[in-house]
Amino acid sequence: MLKEFKEFAMKGNLVDIAVGFVMGAAFKEVVTSFTGGIVSPLIGLIFQSDFKDLKYVITEGVTNAEGVVEGEVSILWGAFLTNVIDFIIVAFVMFMVVKAVNKMKRKEEPAPEPPKGPTQEELLIQIRDLLKK
């Protein structure tokens, strides 16, 4: 059973998927850093606040003795929008990677040869010979 599992785990497709998953997770972190460190502050300039902290407060909370707000109900639309931007960037880059890989695969595959067979003249000669008989 261990040998069979080793053969399964070492198949090319499974290893490719694992490498792609790890690289995708690392790339996601880079995009999150880009969005949080560059895009959000620039958009935050428009709203004069940290973009991730933008929210719509439904119910005001009460500040306790430690200065922490308790009982606030709010919609964190700034954080949601930041995550949407992250997703769009990652999806676009992954689309471009898949498109590039598909383009390279098409170049590797040779064009199929046309089927070999008798030419039109050979067929006409065969028909003529059959009619002579």
Side-chain angles (χ1 to χ4, degrees), residues 42-110:
L42 292 176
I43 296 174
L45 286 173
I46 298 170
F47 296 102
Q48 300 298 320
S49 67
D50 186 11
F51 187 63
K52 284 187 175 184
D53 293 336
L54 295 176
K55 59 186 174 184
Y56 176 74
V57 179
I58 297 172
T59 305
E60 291 288 333
V62 179
T63 306
N64 63 13
E66 290 87 32
V68 178
V69 177
E70 293 178 340
E72 180 179 84
V73 178
S74 58
I75 298 173
L76 305 173
W77 66 272
F80 173 74
L81 199 55
T82 301
N83 288 332
V84 169
I85 293 169
D86 285 351
F87 172 77
I88 290 170
I89 292 171
V90 170
F92 177 74
V93 171
M94 289 298 118
F95 169 75
M96 296 305 289
V97 167
V98 168
K99 187 174 178 176
V101 168
N102 287 341
K103 189 174 183 179
M104 287 191 312
K105 282 184 179 179
R106 279 191 227 126
K107 287 183 179 179
E108 292 174 3
E109 297 174 7

Side-chain angles (χ1 to χ4, degrees), residues 18-37:
V19 169
F21 182 78
V22 170
M23 289 181 67
F27 181 71
K28 166 84 170 83
E29 292 298 318
V30 170
V31 170
T32 301
S33 173
F34 170 74
T35 306

